[in-house]
Amino acid sequence: MTQPVGTALARKLSASQEERGDKPRSVLRALRLAFARAAGDVMKLPLTVIGAKQSCRPVDTLAEVAKDDWLFVLLGNGDGVSAAVCLDPGAVSAIVQVQTFGQVMSDPPSARVCTDTDAAMVAPLIEEVLTRASRIVESSSDQAGLTGYEYKARLPDKRTLTLAMVEDIYDVYELTVELGGGVRQGQISLFLPDRQKDGDLDDPDEQVAGPNLEQSSGVLRAELNTVICRMSLPFASLSGLSEGDVLPLVGARVDKAEVLTIDRSRAAVGRLGQCGGMRAVRLNEHETIPSPLNAAEHEFLEARSPTAQSKPEHDLETDIVPITPKALETIEGELTLGDSDQIAAEISKLAGLDGKPD
């Protein structure tokens, strides 16, 4: 018997995905493997999952997944937790036929109401699937969510199904299966309680201890600003500035730069420089700093100021000079050309500029 091209491709894609072992096996993948193996071992029924979908649904929306003519099977465990499995007429008839006639008929199933006998013949397969799936998954929470379920009863309709589910949220696994080597296709849906809402962890100690430092490394962000000069400027002069105007940095000290936090409070005083080709700030330079292993590669290049003092100081005194209409002429007369050029060159070097005209 020749199979349709779409079905054959779907089976090949399904097989290739099952062979991927680079990721931990999820519940959905475990159910795909368990259905195929349990059907072949328990009932000698060739079964392949050619489509799978997982979703999380509130209990009042579970009825939207199934149709009225489906078989509704109620499951339960020793803790009083309820689960359910829904099968369409195509899947139910194939399971019944292979147990009564030894094979799956190619004729479509006749329209009829599912009975308790149908549920009793399907129940061994469902219980075996959940048992095997609990051995395939790797997470302990997933194993606990698949263990202990047994067949309880057949539910007559979708309304009874919704009333029998006692949890608020359920994980819904919708599987499209191919039965009898392509003779029949069917739909199987499983409703399992959502265990993530309880915050279960594989290691209970992690919940008590909280996140580790290595888990937070690389995601924390500290924003620091460096200030080398403060100056006072009248609003009239500020509003009159245009592109190309130059303001002299009075009292600029690259060796005593303020390091400010995000709320503009001073955190430390340091010296501007470069380290490893990147801009850097050396803090608490009055203390002895051990040399790195590769000092040549990570040497801190200081940006020296002509007004730097040899004696280390801890407090930063800020010179605030008001700027008036004649302030620029007064300040320019007090500064030497060499000092201004040197300060500008040092700041350009720290900013990563080469100083060459465009």
Side-chain angles (χ1 to χ4, degrees), residues 310-329:
S310 58
K311 180 175 66 174
E313 297 179 9
H314 300 280
D315 297 331
L316 177 65
E317 298 180 359
T318 304
D319 298 330
I320 301 178
V321 180
I323 296 182
T324 61
K326 296 183 179 180
L328 295 179
E329 298 179 359

Side-chain angles (χ1 to χ4, degrees), residues 74-84 123 126-135 137 140-152 192-193 195:
L74 177 65
L75 305 175
N77 59 12
D79 299 331
V81 179
S82 298
I126 302 302
E127 293 178 351
E128 182 66 20
V129 166
L130 294 177
T131 301
R132 298 198 179 202
S134 64
R135 301 170 184 171
V137 294
S140 60
S141 60
D142 292 340
Q143 293 175 358
L146 296 170
T147 304
Y149 288 104
E150 297 179 352
Y151 169 69
K152 294 297 183 181
L192 299 177
R195 301 184 60 86

Side-chain angles (χ1 to χ4, degrees), residues 340-350 353:
S340 300
D341 293 343
Q342 185 174 358
I343 293 175
E346 291 173 355
I347 295 176
S348 299
K349 181 180 179 182
L350 293 176
L353 303 176

Side-chain angles (χ1 to χ4, degrees), residues 4-5 47 52 75 83 88 123-124 128 132 147 158-160 166 179 183 214 260 274 277 311 318 324 353:
V5 177
L47 185 150
L75 305 175
D88 72 340
E128 182 66 20
R132 298 198 179 202
T147 304
K158 294 193 296 184
R159 182 177 179 276
T160 308
V166 297
L179 304 159
V183 177
E214 67 235 20
L260 307 181
Q274 293 186 6
K311 180 175 66 174
T318 304
T324 61
L353 303 176

Side-chain angles (χ1 to χ4, degrees), residues 68-301:
D68 295 331
D69 58 346
W70 286 29
L71 173 65
F72 308 105
V73 178
L74 177 65
L75 305 175
N77 59 12
D79 299 331
V81 179
S82 298
V85 179
C86 305
L87 301 90
D88 72 340
V92 174
S93 62
I95 295 175
V96 173
Q97 288 174 2
V98 79
Q99 295 184 74
T100 55
F101 302 106
Q103 62 179 354
V104 179
M105 304 298 180
S106 59
D107 298 334
S110 58
R112 64 181 182 87
V113 178
C114 295
T115 63
D116 293 341
T117 303
D118 296 328
M121 300 183 71
V122 171
L125 174 62
I126 302 302
E127 293 178 351
E128 182 66 20
V129 166
L130 294 177
T131 301
R132 298 198 179 202
S134 64
R135 301 170 184 171
I136 296 175
V137 294
E138 300 177 1
S139 173
S140 60
S141 60
D142 292 340
Q143 293 175 358
L146 296 170
T147 304
Y149 288 104
E150 297 179 352
Y151 169 69
K152 294 297 183 181
R154 181 186 68 87
L155 302 176
D157 50 34
K158 294 193 296 184
R159 182 177 179 276
T160 308
L161 170 68
T162 304
L163 296 176
M165 299 293 100
V166 297
E167 302 295 330
D168 295 332
I169 304 295
Y170 277 83
D171 290 327
V172 179
Y173 304 93
E174 302 177 62
L175 307 177
T176 302
V177 297
E178 186 180 74
L179 304 159
V183 177
R184 181 82 55 80
Q185 287 189 3
Q187 301 287 332
I188 302 176
S189 298
L190 288 86
F191 305 150
L192 299 177
D194 180 25
R195 301 184 60 86
Q196 295 182 357
K197 62 183 179 62
D198 299 331
D200 295 340
L201 296 176
D202 292 346
D203 188 359
D205 296 337
E206 293 184 3
Q207 189 174 8
V208 179
N212 298 327
L213 180 60
E214 67 235 20
Q215 297 175 345
S216 302
S217 177
V219 298
L220 299 180
R221 181 171 179 259
E223 182 175 343
L224 299 176
N225 297 318
T226 305
V227 178
I228 63 174
C229 178
R230 294 177 183 268
M231 59 191 309
S232 177
L233 186 66
F235 181 76
S237 301
L238 179 63
S239 60
L241 293 176
S242 60
E243 184 178 357
D245 292 345
V246 179
L247 291 176
L249 301 181
V250 180
R253 297 286 299 274
V254 294
D255 60 322
K256 297 188 65 176
E258 289 183 276
V259 179
L260 307 181
T261 61
I262 193 172
D263 59 352
R264 306 299 297 175
S265 60
R266 191 176 72 177
V269 178
R271 175 187 292 274
L272 297 182
Q274 293 186 6
C275 183
M278 304 182 66
R279 283 168 286 182
V281 178
R282 172 176 285 175
L283 304 178
N284 300 328
E285 57 180 358
H286 60 279
E287 298 180 359
T288 303
I289 301 178
S291 301
L293 297 178
N294 193 350
E297 181 180 357
H298 301 282
E299 181 181 2
F300 184 84
L301 304 179

